[in-house]
Amino acid sequence: MLTFVHFFEQIKQMKDYDFEAIESKWRERWKANGTYRTEEVSEKEKLYVLDMFPYPSGAGLHVGHPLGYIASDIYSRYKKLNGYNVLHPMGYDSFGLPAEQYAIQTGQHPAITTEQNINRYREQLDLIGFSYDWSRQVKTSDPSYYKWTQWIFLKLFDSWYNNTTDKAEKIETLVAEFEKNGNQEVEAVNACEEIFDASTWKGFNEKKQQEILLDYRLTYISNSVVNWCPELGTVLANDEVKDGVSERGGYPVEQREMRQWSMRIGAYSERLLQGLETLDWTDSLKEIQRNWIGKSVGASVHFDIDGNENQLEIFTTRPDTIFGATFMVLAPEHELVNELTSTDQKEEVEQYIIRTKTRTERDRLSDVKTVSGAFTGSYAIHPFTGEKIPIWIADYVLAGYGTGAVMAVPSGDQRDWDFANHFGLEIPAVIEGTDVSQGANDDKTGVLINSSFLDGLKVKDAIKRILFEIEKKGIGERQTNYKMRDAVFSRQRYWGEPVPMYFKDGVPYPVAEKDLPVILPEVDKYLPTEDGEPPLGRAENWAYQPEGDSNSYPLELNTMPGWAGSSWYFMRYMDPDNTDEFVSKDKLNYWKNVDVYLGGAEHATGHLLYFRFWTKVLHDLGYVSFDEPAKKLINQGMILAEDGQKMSKRYGNVVNPDDIIKSFGADSLRLHEMFLGPIEQHKPWNTKGIEGVHRFLKKYWRMVHNSNNEFSVTEETPTKEEYKALHKAIKKVGEDNNRFSFNTSVSTFMVAVNELIDLKCNKREIIEGLTILLNPHCPYITEEIWEKLGHSDSIVNTQWPEFNEEYLIESNFSYPVSFNGKMRFKLELPLALSKEEVENKVLGNEQSAKYLEGKSPKKVIVVPGRIVNVVV
RNA sequence: GCCGAAGUGGCGGAACUGGUAGACGCGCUGGAUUCAAAAUCCAGUUCCUUCUGGGAGUGCGGGUUCGAUUCCCGCCUUCGGUACCA
């Protein structure tokens, strides 16, 4: 009998806070009532809070993935309670390699696996209780979505970058100019080496004209050296290669020349750089982008070549050191190498070129210390001294940067110094005080020597002077270079957006807009064809018949890279079902750009650059009013496994949120993830710690339930202390939420609940306020208690409580009294006292005598309401 | 090498503009309750110490200040980015 009673006791206690019942109840209600439907264009102020959408992998979510989602969800809910119309959507970056690799192995269509993974993700996300408006979901692999990705591609194809207006313009304006004046006057970012006048242009045949235009278009096809990954069977963008291996999979990458689509992101280097100044992103992330863009200001100088009509164009950031140039170095791939190589040196040079070619990117990276090179046998003429300076080739000069040639100043550049030192070339000092026996001096300070008319000038002034002289002589000009290369846009893959282009006479033409989307065709296998064509080469009837043309033409076989769909998805959420436009003007004008964007810092040189780039292009073309996609960016840190390692299947240390939710509930999971530490920081998961926040929720539950677990609040007017406890929390939580400091807001909740429990408070007014404060962090339990408090409308439609300063005003303050900066004791004094009165009270206090040791104090600092410090 | 961020108890972390270092939580110790356990509650918990007290203490060494985790200078360590970019 006794045990029987105990058994019931236990059941009752277990049911205390029945998170499972509460959470499933509200999940259903929220869904049925469309609680999280976002208002369309409204009178309210808008706020756009966005998470980086996930690639739905087969492994599902682990406990680290939702960290940022929880933070943005809390912020969204908090802002909604404060009267904003909040757009907080979610979707899937659903094209990508893993689904395709799986398809290759199993024959399963990637669309099927992707769909399964998405469903699994959705189930997991739904458990956590996010306030996403799922009616706005986007999937990049959905034809209704990628139709517009293809459309934007066509817009880029149909544009050129006008340096005079400093923006992208429609290609027709360029054609008009060609027809009027040729390209002589055009200031454009381009790769066209030909100069022609109007009549020449008109004389070109269609093919030639198209080829020339391709040199100007923002997206273009060209033969370029690319990162080819044989293992993945595709090319990779620079940001997808780390340390000479592929970021995904870690497979070797080699350089190969291929015909590829690229995007002229280089046209936007300066604006991408300048735009950073206007963004509220972390300094470290902005710095990563700055370095990646890699601006350097200098000059290009043409050197005559002894006995040769060509000139050698070099780029230097230190034109002032030109008198210290004792040799020239060309990249082994430089176009003049052949011509400049003398018969004597031919063998050595060829040997060297073969050697550098066979070295992989990786070897080259791992072996930067070894100095190597070969003399061509030719000499350049120094433009100011007329001296002959030998021309070498060496692989420390990169073909892809600047002009692929440098003037070597061994006293001013360590690489040149190493080279000169190794081959026994001269190293004359050109900056006063340089010890050339030790190494180069690359300081931009000091005074020039051995430099003719520059002698005695400071570096800064010498640069100005030499630029003037160079330009006067007509042998060069000021020039700015950027490290960032154009982005390769082709992937030899199946599971991506088809490029909406077809080929006629070897020239690419756009598919008509009305024929979009170009639907990804079915193929028998997801592998390259026998001829080494991409998988789309297996598709039947992969051709396009333009309107009014009786022929059909082969479509492009490459697909777009992973970053295509993610470069504009934030706009589609505003108007996901629009079939006429990528997004309507009205909606774009209301929602504008993202106010807060949450995601990992690993996308710094990839997605986050590309999505700024596309936004700027769409801005230039008049489609969007803003030219930066996200005003504020927060990089959430990683949650590591309990062992401090990365959470990964490989280490067997993955914690699944579903399990945590089963044992503690989603509210506990949410609170715990926030309580772990600052959002931007990496921090280890701690399963034990979740009991702390779970205990807190139980305490909160018991505040408003009696020992029989019956809901119980009183209607009494709260005391001053109770108001104080609540209003302290209103103030602090509001401040914390605004600055994404959710770990401290959780601790504020705990303090408030502890205080109110000490006060035995279950008064309606206080409980209601507290419940609203808690709601963004733990939506389920607060919704339940809100209902029990007698509200028929969801808590998400209520208002954040107003903070009233009066409840915090105190008449006394317990002063910490320090002697020589050490806190010794506390003394409670009225806040109304003047500094003098405080000083007198403190010195008159018996405890002070001990620390004064009979001496009289030198000085007493009184900061009213803060501290007293006595200097002895 | 260069650039950036960060170093606080046994652990995660707090201290927002220079003003009581260690909030809050985990863990640990002791106690109450219980036949017992779970759950819950109470007390303690930076280190040293000659313990109604005293001393040290926010990576290390200096400095500014009545007062420094916070500001300045120099170093060390960890993490991230980048890597012959002329």
Side-chain angles (χ1 to χ4, degrees):
Chain A
M1 185 62 199
L2 196 70
T3 43
F4 197 62
V5 170
H6 275 273
F7 178 69
F8 273 105
E9 283 290 313
Q10 279 188 356
I11 294 283
K12 212 162 73 190
Q13 281 191 358
M14 271 166 57
K15 289 285 168 195
D16 240 19
Y17 158 43
D18 188 352
F19 54 84
E20 217 170 344
I22 294 167
E23 292 181 3
S24 60
K25 165 180 161 185
W26 288 104
R27 254 194 295 277
E28 273 170 40
R29 283 234 197 140
W30 289 336
K31 198 173 172 188
N33 298 344
T35 306
Y36 299 116
R37 211 34 93 75
T38 308
E39 287 173 49
E40 292 298 342
V41 175
S42 96
E43 291 298 298
K44 287 188 195 165
E45 200 177 329
K46 73 97 187 186
L47 189 81
Y48 191 173
V49 183
L50 183 65
D51 293 303
M52 286 186 188
F53 63 171
Y55 173 80
S57 82
L61 293 172
H62 66 60
V63 111
H65 293 118
L67 181 76
Y69 304 159
I70 294 170
S72 64
D73 194 61
I74 290 171
Y75 190 73
S76 301
R77 288 171 179 274
Y78 168 70
K79 286 294 182 182
K80 178 150 199 274
L81 289 168
N82 279 281
Y84 288 88
N85 186 22
V86 179
L87 179 58
H88 186 45
M90 183 48 96
Y92 304 97
D93 190 13
S94 47
F95 273 134
L97 284 180
E100 182 164 351
Q101 294 294 72
Y102 188 75
I104 290 169
Q105 288 159 21
T106 62
Q108 175 98 283
H109 196 290
I112 296 170
T113 26
T114 301
E115 198 54 32
Q116 287 167 353
N117 293 346
I118 284 177
N119 291 337
R120 172 88 190 100
Y121 263 59
R122 179 64 189 276
E123 274 172 33
Q124 288 191 291
L125 290 171
D126 278 348
L127 283 181
I128 303 171
F130 293 119
S131 60
Y132 295 127
D133 178 355
W134 282 106
S135 71
R136 293 169 180 271
Q137 162 182 287
V138 302
K139 296 183 221 170
T140 55
S141 60
D142 194 318
S144 69
Y145 180 87
Y146 70 67
K147 169 181 178 176
W148 298 106
T149 310
Q150 293 174 336
W151 179 84
I152 294 172
F153 178 90
L154 293 183
K155 294 298 144 195
L156 277 127
F157 181 76
D158 196 35
S159 310
W160 64 291
Y161 199 88
N162 186 341
N163 277 334
T164 309
T165 55
D166 200 19
K167 61 178 202 168
E169 292 179 13
K170 294 198 87 172
I171 201 84
E172 59 194 46
T173 64
L174 184 69
V175 173
E177 172 66 15
F178 285 174
E179 284 171 356
K180 220 165 102 196
N181 301 311
N183 71 348
Q184 305 164 79
E185 304 291 313
V186 174
E187 292 288 336
V189 178
N190 69 92
C192 181
E193 282 164 4
E194 254 179 286
I195 307 286
F196 48 83
D197 57 22
S199 61
T200 320
W201 168 258
K202 287 176 196 151
F204 289 148
N205 63 19
E206 164 76 8
K207 183 174 171 163
K208 177 73 179 171
Q209 287 188 344
Q210 286 302 325
E211 278 168 1
I212 284 171
L213 288 176
L214 218 38
D215 285 337
Y216 288 84
R217 295 179 191 275
L218 286 187
T219 182
Y220 59 96
I221 196 165
S222 69
N223 282 321
S224 50
V225 179
V226 294
N227 305 303
W228 172 256
C229 180
E231 206 75 25
L232 292 173
T234 192
V235 304
L236 299 168
N238 286 335
D239 67 280
E240 292 167 320
V241 182
K242 290 238 146 66
D243 302 321
V245 298
S246 67
E247 197 179 29
R248 232 179 234 285
Y251 304 117
V253 170
E254 52 192 56
Q255 303 300 298
R256 193 191 263 198
E257 197 177 85
M258 288 180 83
R259 198 158 160 77
Q260 294 290 311
W261 287 98
S262 297
M263 295 240 160
R264 230 178 277 285
I265 191 174
Y268 284 84
S269 303
E270 188 62 29
R271 282 168 63 190
L272 288 167
L273 190 65
Q274 294 306 324
L276 290 172
E277 306 299 326
T278 67
L279 299 177
D280 182 9
W281 294 14
T282 62
D283 287 337
S284 74
L285 199 122
K286 289 202 238 183
E287 200 57 27
I288 291 171
Q289 290 208 342
R290 277 189 204 108
N291 292 339
W292 186 262
I293 295 168
K295 179 179 183 173
S296 61
V297 179
S300 82
V301 185
H302 298 261
F303 282 67
D304 286 332
I305 300 166
D306 192 29
N308 189 300
E309 281 166 19
N310 286 296
Q311 282 193 322
L312 202 53
E313 186 186 355
I314 58 99
F315 174 72
T316 177
T317 54
R318 290 295 301 275
D320 58 309
T321 62
I322 195 165
F323 290 96
T326 49
F327 54 100
M328 311 294 283
V329 187
L330 309 186
E333 301 90 343
H334 195 279
E335 53 181 9
L336 289 179
V337 169
N338 241 331
E339 203 174 331
L340 295 182
T341 304
S342 67
T343 352
D344 289 356
Q345 294 300 108
K346 201 172 171 75
E347 179 153 4
E348 193 187 330
V349 167
E350 278 173 1
Q351 284 292 316
Y352 185 71
I353 291 173
I354 289 165
R355 213 193 102 194
T356 49
K357 264 198 182 145
T358 51
R359 287 219 293 175
T360 66
E361 181 78 348
R362 215 179 178 185
D363 294 339
R364 205 166 143 162
L365 285 174
S366 60
D367 178 30
V368 294
K369 289 277 165 284
T370 316
V371 178
S372 68
F375 176 48
T376 61
S378 289
Y379 293 86
I381 307 291
H382 193 288
F384 292 99
T385 65
E387 276 175 46
K388 281 168 69 174
I389 45 186
I391 302 172
W392 289 67
I393 64 168
D395 66 358
Y396 81 89
V397 174
L398 304 176
Y401 185 76
T403 58
V406 301
M407 66 171 199
V409 181
S411 67
D413 183 292
Q414 193 55 44
R415 294 157 303 181
D416 297 343
W417 190 91
D418 292 339
F419 194 84
N421 193 254
H422 185 260
F423 288 106
L425 300 158
E426 265 181 275
I427 311 179
V430 282
I431 302 289
E432 202 170 55
T434 305
D435 179 1
V436 295
S437 66
Q438 292 308 303
N441 168 15
D442 60 3
D443 272 8
K444 285 203 168 185
T445 55
V447 172
L448 276 286
I449 53 168
N450 301 331
S451 297
S452 174
F453 53 84
L454 298 178
D455 282 350
L457 291 175
K458 285 189 196 145
V459 169
K460 239 176 82 188
D461 302 325
I463 291 177
K464 277 188 202 148
R465 175 72 194 277
I466 192 74
L467 283 171
F468 174 79
E469 297 292 340
I470 287 169
E471 285 175 352
K472 196 173 85 179
K473 264 176 112 80
I475 53 165
E477 66 273 310
R478 280 153 223 269
Q479 195 181 309
T480 302
N481 268 336
Y482 300 89
K483 272 197 280 186
M484 183 169 62
R485 310 295 164 75
D486 281 349
V488 179
F489 199 71
S490 300
R491 296 294 180 272
Q492 292 66 39
R493 282 285 174 161
Y494 175 73
W495 192 230
E497 300 87 346
V499 174
M501 301 296 294
Y502 64 94
F503 291 87
K504 193 162 87 182
D505 197 13
V507 175
Y509 287 91
V511 167
E513 278 183 29
K514 68 168 179 55
D515 294 324
L516 297 181
V518 175
I519 304 267
L520 189 62
E522 295 299 322
V523 292
D524 57 346
K525 268 192 272 179
Y526 306 100
L527 289 169
T529 65
E530 279 68 36
D531 316 333
E533 295 280 15
L536 293 194
R538 296 174 174 276
E540 280 174 51
N541 304 321
W542 187 236
Y544 178 68
Q545 185 175 2
E547 200 171 57
D549 196 322
S550 55
N551 297 314
S552 56
Y553 302 94
L555 280 157
E556 169 65 56
L557 299 179
N558 286 302
T559 52
M560 297 190 195
W563 55 267
S566 58
S567 294
W568 72 284
Y569 75 113
F570 75 101
M571 300 189 206
R572 188 66 180 172
Y573 284 132
M574 299 172 192
D575 197 7
D577 301 319
N578 197 328
T579 51
D580 303 324
E581 294 170 276
F582 72 113
V583 45
S584 82
K585 267 245 152 32
D586 280 3
K587 297 194 173 165
L588 212 39
N589 283 337
Y590 176 68
W591 292 111
K592 295 203 174 67
N593 46 3
V594 174
D595 292 281
V596 187
Y597 194 25
L598 266 98
E602 66 273 20
H603 298 106
T605 54
H607 163 61
L608 289 173
L609 267 178
Y610 300 131
F611 119 119
R612 293 183 60 213
F613 165 45
W614 279 31
T615 303
K616 287 181 189 299
V617 174
L618 291 171
H619 171 80
D620 287 355
L621 299 178
Y623 293 105
V624 305
S625 61
F626 46 86
D627 85 332
E628 284 290 347
K631 289 186 257 190
K632 183 179 173 71
L633 175 78
I634 293 176
N635 297 121
Q636 89 271 17
M638 232 185 328
I639 293 190
L640 306 168
E642 253 166 318
D643 54 14
Q645 292 192 97
K646 224 171 144 164
M647 214 174 258
S648 156
K649 233 182 184 169
R650 187 154 35 126
Y651 305 125
N653 55 14
V654 173
V655 181
N656 188 322
D658 307 17
D659 299 338
I660 301 293
I661 290 170
K662 197 161 257 166
S663 329
F664 299 98
D667 283 337
S668 292
L669 173 77
R670 293 170 61 108
L671 277 177
H672 183 54
E673 294 224 357
M674 292 301 102
F675 196 49
L676 241 28
I679 190 77
E680 319 80 26
Q681 229 166 71
H682 293 323
K683 57 238 156 185
W685 176 257
N686 172 1
T687 296
K688 200 82 188 145
I690 198 168
E691 288 171 18
V693 294
H694 188 67
R695 218 168 277 158
F696 158 76
L697 287 177
K698 285 202 226 167
K699 282 192 200 173
Y700 164 60
W701 181 266
R702 280 196 304 261
M703 278 177 82
V704 293
H705 289 84
N706 63 21
S707 53
N708 293 322
N709 201 25
E710 292 156 352
F711 187 73
S712 150
V713 292
T714 74
E715 305 296 330
E716 287 168 59
T717 307
T719 63
K720 184 165 186 242
E721 273 170 316
E722 290 165 343
Y723 274 126
K724 190 181 171 188
L726 175 66
H727 281 259
K728 257 185 356 197
I730 295 174
K731 181 164 192 267
K732 183 77 164 70
V733 172
E735 288 166 359
D736 289 350
N737 285 354
N738 275 324
R739 61 188 176 108
F740 283 84
S741 177
F742 301 121
N743 55 328
T744 52
S745 49
V746 174
S747 95
T748 306
F749 297 150
M750 293 172 166
V751 171
V753 164
N754 287 344
E755 282 174 1
L756 290 168
I757 286 175
D758 285 345
L759 296 167
K760 300 193 168 36
C761 174
N762 68 338
K763 293 173 183 162
R764 167 182 295 277
E765 198 182 334
I766 300 294
I767 299 299
E768 291 209 337
L770 177 68
T771 301
I772 300 168
L773 293 193
L774 286 168
N775 174 65
H777 289 69
C778 26
Y780 290 108
I781 189 173
T782 49
E783 188 81 274
E784 176 73 10
I785 288 179
W786 189 248
E787 188 189 45
K788 288 186 169 194
L789 282 162
H791 298 277
S792 52
D793 194 14
S794 167
I795 189 169
V796 303
N797 297 319
T798 190
Q799 299 263 307
W800 191 254
E802 205 171 312
F803 168 62
N804 187 343
E805 181 88 54
E806 270 172 46
Y807 295 117
L808 267 54
I809 293 169
E810 290 287 335
S811 52
N812 286 339
F813 178 71
S814 177
Y815 277 94
V817 180
S818 302
F819 287 78
N820 293 331
K822 270 260 169 246
M823 208 281 283
R824 294 302 176 178
F825 60 87
K826 284 193 189 171
L827 188 61
E828 174 130 348
L829 294 170
L831 277 164
L833 292 187
S834 70
K835 282 191 182 188
E836 288 73 25
E837 288 168 318
V838 171
E839 181 173 337
N840 289 338
K841 290 272 189 194
V842 166
L843 294 178
N845 188 281
E846 73 224 6
Q847 293 184 85
S848 293
K850 192 161 75 188
Y851 299 101
L852 283 169
E853 294 163 337
K855 290 172 241 165
S856 63
K858 274 197 203 130
K859 201 172 171 185
V860 180
I861 285 115
V862 176
V863 184
R866 281 230 115 117
I867 197 172
V868 177
N869 189 19
V870 183
V871 187
V872 186

